[in-house]
């Protein structure tokens, strides 16, 4: 909470926390039995709940927007990897449930989280029209495009991604690919983007941090290192229209040719 207070005092207007901000990254442990599922349920929160009460008060106090990613137990009893957006008046906007949920070694999220079922949201906050997509969503261009078409000027990606200890990948530099694909989303949609990544070592994973903000042509405006850090980044969202109008990636779309996108391979 202290860091949010400090960021607000330095002029931050929209503050985003990392994915699953209030827990360890427990999905790196493959679920073997019901007992293990029950062991992590203690981390789950309701919405509204303990976190939203605290952050709502902070949002009202400092007239800021706060994005709170957390492990949610919904009213239907199911568990989701979720994000809550709280506006400057302390009111909770629509909850986002992570839509693309991975199931890979040390990222066994489908063992713990239901697939997102609430669609993509654009939040018309006091300072900007924003969208929130969570971690694995950042690899899917369709998500960023849909949010842009719904009016978002700024995409936030709260994230928990890193290297697997003692593993050398033949693919290449994972962090470079992670940043490159998101900069690509910014460019082809003509929107600003902020990726907020976890840091530190947990179990088999070393989270690489590297949180960054880029403009609508993918230029990095600020980037964090591998340790905990707060970035305060002024943005000129009017630059979006220059890129969108100049490059025509939105106006020259051909939706009539995109039907294969909705067909199963």
């Amino acid at each position: 909470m202290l860091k949010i207070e400090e960021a607000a005092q330095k002029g931050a207007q929209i503050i985003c926390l990392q994915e699953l901000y209030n827990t360890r990254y427990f999905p790196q442990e493959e679920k073997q039995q019901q007992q293990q599922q029950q062991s992590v349920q203690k981390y789950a929160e309701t919405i509204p709940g303990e976190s939203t009460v605290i952050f709502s008060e902070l949002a009202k106090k400092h007239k800021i927007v706060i994005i709170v990613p957390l492990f949610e137990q919904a009213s239907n009893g199911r568990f989701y990897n979720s994000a809550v957006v709280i506006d400057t008046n302390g009111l909770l906007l629509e909850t986002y449930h992570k839509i693309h949920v991975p199931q890979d070694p040390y990222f066994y999220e489908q063992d713990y989280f239901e697939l997102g079922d609430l669609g993509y949201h654009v939040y018309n906050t006091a300072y900007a029209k924003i969208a929130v997509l969570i971690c694995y969503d950042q690899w899917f261009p369709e998500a960023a495009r849909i949010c842009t078409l719904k009016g978002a000027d700024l995409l936030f990606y709260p994230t928990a991604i890193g290297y697997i200890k003692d593993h050398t990948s033949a693919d290449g530099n994972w962090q470079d690919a992670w940043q490159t694909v998101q900069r690509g989303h910014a460019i082809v949609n003509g929107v600003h983007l902020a990726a907020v990544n976890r840091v530190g070592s947990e179990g088999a994973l070393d989270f690489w941090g590297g949180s960054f903000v880029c403009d609508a042509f993918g230029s990095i405006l600020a980037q964090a290192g591998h340790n905990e850090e707060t970035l305060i980044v002024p943005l000129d969202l009017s630059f979006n229209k220059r890129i969108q109008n100049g490059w025509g990636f939105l106006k020259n779309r051909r939706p009539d040719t995109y039907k294969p996108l909705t067909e199963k391979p």
Side-chain angles (χ1 to χ4, degrees), residues 42-55:
K42 61 186 178 184
Y43 297 126
E45 300 185 49
T46 59
I47 300 174
E50 183 178 355
S51 285
T52 60
V53 168
I54 293 170
F55 288 112

Side-chain angles (χ1 to χ4, degrees), residues 27-153:
Q28 67 178 285
E29 300 162 3
E30 191 172 10
K31 187 177 72 174
Q32 301 294 337
Q33 53 189 359
Q34 184 67 20
Q35 183 178 359
Q36 187 167 343
Q37 172 70 10
Q38 293 172 348
S39 72
V40 302
Q41 288 181 6
K42 61 186 178 184
Y43 297 126
E45 300 185 49
T46 59
I47 300 174
E50 183 178 355
S51 285
T52 60
V53 168
I54 293 170
F55 288 112
S56 290
E57 289 302 316
L58 282 172
K60 283 191 294 185
K61 176 181 176 181
H62 295 287
K63 303 300 181 188
I64 55 177
V65 176
I66 308 178
I67 299 166
V68 186
L70 50 79
F71 178 29
E72 178 195 2
Q73 182 171 11
S75 58
N76 59 11
R78 296 180 178 179
F79 295 88
Y80 296 92
N81 190 334
S82 303
V84 182
V85 177
I86 305 174
D87 213 343
T88 55
N89 54 8
L91 294 181
L92 308 187
L93 306 183
E94 292 176 291
T95 299
Y96 173 70
H97 289 163
K98 184 175 182 177
I99 286 178
H100 301 95
V101 180
Q103 184 70 3
D104 296 303
Y106 303 104
F107 296 90
Y108 300 106
E109 295 195 14
Q110 290 184 24
D111 283 354
Y112 300 93
F113 310 128
E114 299 287 338
L115 300 180
D117 54 359
L118 299 179
Y120 301 102
H121 303 307
V122 171
Y123 304 95
N124 190 11
T125 73
Y127 299 116
K129 290 183 178 180
I130 67 173
V132 179
L133 299 165
I134 301 175
C135 199
Y136 196 50
D137 289 328
Q138 64 210 359
W139 299 95
F140 295 85
E142 297 87 353
R145 175 54 55 87
I146 289 170
C147 290
T148 301
L149 293 176
K150 290 169 72 74
D153 292 315

Side-chain angles (χ1 to χ4, degrees), residues 153-157 178-196 210-224 231 233-237 239-240 243:
D153 292 315
L154 173 58
L155 306 179
F156 282 93
Y157 288 99
W178 170 77
Q179 185 182 94
T180 298
V181 74
Q182 291 175 91
R183 291 176 63 200
H185 296 334
I187 295 167
V188 300
N189 291 296
V191 295
H192 283 65
L193 184 149
V196 183
S211 301
F212 71 94
V213 178
C214 69
D215 69 15
F217 205 55
S219 298
I220 302 295
L221 303 177
Q223 181 171 351
L231 299 178
V233 188
L235 304 180
D236 178 10
L237 297 181
F239 183 59
N240 292 3
I243 299 303

Side-chain angles (χ1 to χ4, degrees), residues 160-215:
I161 190 170
Y163 297 110
I164 300 170
K165 295 177 182 177
D166 301 320
H167 172 72
T168 300
S169 173
D171 300 342
N173 187 315
W174 289 3
Q175 184 176 356
D176 181 66
W178 170 77
Q179 185 182 94
T180 298
V181 74
Q182 291 175 91
R183 291 176 63 200
H185 296 334
I187 295 167
V188 300
N189 291 296
V191 295
H192 283 65
L193 184 149
V196 183
N197 191 25
R198 202 177 191 95
V199 300
S201 178
E202 298 180 35
L205 298 175
D206 281 323
F207 296 99
W208 60 58
S211 301
F212 71 94
V213 178
C214 69
D215 69 15

